[in-house]
Every structure is written in structure tokens, then in C-alpha cells.
Amino acid sequence: MTNEQHTAPVEEKPARKKIILSGIQPTGIFTLGNYIGAVRNWGQLQEDYDCYYFVADLHSLTIRQNPADLRKQTLEAFALLLAAGIDPEKSLVFIQSHVHNHAELGWILMCNSMFGELSRMTQFKDKSAKHADNVNAGLFTYPSLMAADILLYQADLVPVGQDQTQHLEFTRNVATRFNGLYGDVFRLPEAYLPKEGAKIMSLQDPARKMSKSDPNPKARISILDDEASILRKFRSAVTDSEAHVCYREDKPGISNLMTIYSVVTGKSYEAIEDEFDGRGYGDFKTAVGEAVAEELRPIRENFARLMADKKYLEDVYKMGAERAQSISNRTLTKVRKKVGLLAKPF
Ligand code: AQP
């Protein structure tokens, strides 16, 4: 043995990558809003983080769904995640209801969520007003299931839009309460604010966010729309009568289009203002439409290829479910023990 071998430095354990977790509901084909506000960023995080992404099918049951449509949309949502750049070799990608631990921890956390704090959730107030004929208990306890989604995997970071910050705060409160009662079980997640986390507004009513379930198809760009429909929808986007392309609070329609154009092309607002100085809205809307169509084209092509290979999709979601189940078992076993549930006999 040489001296060199004696003195060789002990190899340092590589630092643990932080865990990022997020989900998306299979309530329709993703919009440009879902893409810019969420999925596009998710793909970009894969190199630097341990990423867990899931199709939140259990959450979508809080609104009445047509069963056959929901099954179809769940598979499509899963394929869309892959088509938009989530690589199952790099990220854990799965379907929420395939991992029964979500529902189980969801129930335990519901028993540690207070009626008062759930009553304060603005999403519950909004959604129960919107779906007044179906104000079900799931709509009310939705944040407890969301807390379970996050806490099961000991996520460090959760990318959240402005509309979800209250739910993340709720998750932290429930986790803190649980840890206080039973000892340190859950890691407290932090909000991850993406560099490009813009909120994209409806093309027909720029005061409202673009939503997949908006009944007016002209209000939203679906990420599977073809170039002709994308151009048509941008041309009919509601703007103002000033004919001056600039980013201003009192010009929500044009500002929304500028946000979209800026995210997709990487150009700053100043550069966009210069580019369209003295030109009408027609030119600008066409440029936005063309840039978006170009950005979405590969996703549309990938999606068609993936949907033609159901066996591949099944293999990927099966692999994802097995891994997610195994990772989340660690937390759930600990939780079951802490709260006093008898160990499972299998
Ligand atoms: N318009 C938007 N701009 C930016 N981000 C958005 N997100 C949704 N709409 C926009 C983000 O997409 C992620 C997944 O959302 P979700 O499917 O879980 O639920 P959601 O926010 O309710 O999305 P939709 O499209 O509005 O669905 P429906 O119509 O079913 O309610 C989240 O990170 C969200 O912030």
C-alpha cells in the first residue's frame, strides 16, 4: 500500500438535492396559463432539484366530473406533462390516486385541520359560489389533501401561483401543529417563486385568469391548439383602443399579451415596446400568435406520438406510482405510528 492511498481524502457525500413537488388537475387540456405559470417551469427545474410531479385526479373530484371524460383527461394530462418536457428518467411523475397514501394521510390531516382555518380559504369561498349546487365536503377539506400531497414526500419547495399561497400557509400550519403534538415528522415546505411565474389572463376578459374550464374557448389557448386557431384567438383578444403597445396597469389586455410574448421570446418589455413602436395592435397580435404557436408546436407533436403509444404511458405511470408509493410509505408509516394506528399486518 502506498502513502498516497493512506492519505486519500474521504469522499464527501454529495449535498442532497432539494425536493420540489407540484400537481396539476386533469380538468381539461392545459392552457397557455398552466404552461407558462407552471409546467414550463417544472421542466426547467429538473436539473437542479429532485422533482415530483403528479396529475391531481383526486382533487378534480371536488367538482362534478363526467367519469369517462375524467379517465380520458387524466391520461391526457399525464401525456401532456411528458410532452411538455417532464422527463420520467429525471423526475418522479405519477397519478395521485394511484398512490393510496395521499388519501390516507389526507384523512389523518383532516383530523388535524380546524374548521375555522378551512373556512377562511378563499378558494373554497370562490368555488362554492361558482358551484353552488355541489358544495361538497371535499371542496371544503381540499387543503388537507393538498397538505398530504406535499408532506408525504417531505417536499422542501412547492412552486405556487398567487392563488395557492394561502393553501401552502395552511399546509405549514397543519405540519407545525402535527409536529408540535407528535414530534418532528414533517419538513415544513417553502414557497418556490419561479423566475418566470407570470399569471396569464383570459384573452376575452383580462381581469380573470385564463382557465382550462372556461366555457368560452376563445378565452383560452389550449396547448394543443393548432397554429391557425392560436392566431385567430390572439387576433380576437380583447385589448383597448389606444393602439400603443406598452405595459401599463390600465391596459390589462395588451399587458397580458406582452407578458406572454416576453416569456416565450425572452424579450424584455422595453425591447417589445421598441419593436412595436408606431405599429398597430394587428402586427403585435400576429407576432404573439406566431411566437406562441412555435413554442407549442413540439408539445403538440410529442403529445400525438405519446397518445399513440398507450403501453408506454402505462409503463411510465406504473413505474411512477410504485416509486411514489415506496417513497411516501416512509412518512406514512411514521405518521401512523405517531397517531396510534396499529401497524399494518401486510
Ligand atoms: N392563468 C394562469 N396563469 C398562470 N398560472 C396558472 N395556473 C393555472 N392557471 C394559470 C397554474 O397551473 C397550475 C395547475 O393548476 P390546476 O390545474 O391545479 O388548477 P387551477 O389553478 O384551477 O387551473 P385552471 O386552469 O384554472 O383549472 P380549472 O379551470 O379546472 O380551475 C397551478 O400551479 C396554477 O397556479
Side-chain angles (χ1 to χ4, degrees), residues 148-287:
D149 299 334
I150 299 168
L151 300 175
L152 260 182
Y153 299 92
Q154 306 288 352
D156 296 277
L157 296 166
V158 183
V160 283
Q162 294 150 1
D163 52 335
Q164 291 291 339
T165 50
Q166 203 187 21
H167 287 164
L168 186 65
E169 213 36 55
F170 171 88
T171 300
R172 289 173 58 87
N173 290 343
V174 171
T176 306
R177 181 177 308 130
F178 193 98
N179 286 350
L181 282 169
Y182 300 106
D184 273 350
V185 176
F186 297 126
R187 178 175 293 139
L188 291 194
E190 310 264 350
Y192 175 84
L193 300 169
K195 277 180 234 123
E196 284 171 354
K199 185 170 176 186
I200 305 304
M201 311 311 282
S202 155
L203 297 185
Q204 291 299 314
D205 177 2
R208 290 194 2 242
K209 76 163 185 158
M210 186 182 283
S211 266
K212 345 178 179 70
S213 57
D214 194 317
N216 180 1
K218 279 166 77 182
R220 56 184 149 82
I221 300 288
S222 146
I223 68 171
L224 296 180
D225 278 346
D226 60 25
E227 182 162 3
S229 335
I230 295 174
L231 287 171
R232 203 171 338 104
K233 288 183 188 181
F234 276 112
R235 276 194 212 112
S236 66
V238 169
T239 50
D240 53 70
S241 53
E242 206 185 52
H244 176 41
V245 176
C246 72
Y247 194 96
R248 258 188 9 227
E249 213 171 294
D250 62 340
K251 290 165 71 73
I254 283 294
S255 299
N256 187 38
L257 298 188
M258 284 184 73
T259 301
I260 295 170
Y261 192 59
S262 166
V263 170
V264 171
T265 61
K267 293 177 185 171
S268 67
Y269 290 145
E270 297 77 53
I272 299 170
E273 286 175 14
D274 287 348
E275 187 180 346
F276 293 96
D277 192 25
R279 292 162 68 184
Y281 285 167
D283 274 6
F284 177 52
K285 286 177 169 180
T286 303

Side-chain angles (χ1 to χ4, degrees), residues 22-39 42 56 59-60 63 65 123 127 130-131 142 159-164 197-202 208-214:
S22 205
I24 187 157
Q25 297 190 64
T27 37
I29 297 296
F30 304 165
T31 66
L32 185 63
N34 298 128
Y35 177 67
I36 288 180
V39 181
W42 295 359
H59 283 287
S60 61
I63 307 296
Q65 304 289 341
Q123 183 175 293
K127 290 213 169 174
K130 205 165 145 195
H131 304 276
Y142 179 114
V160 283
Q162 294 150 1
D163 52 335
Q164 291 291 339
K199 185 170 176 186
I200 305 304
M201 311 311 282
S202 155
R208 290 194 2 242
K209 76 163 185 158
M210 186 182 283
S211 266
K212 345 178 179 70
S213 57
D214 194 317

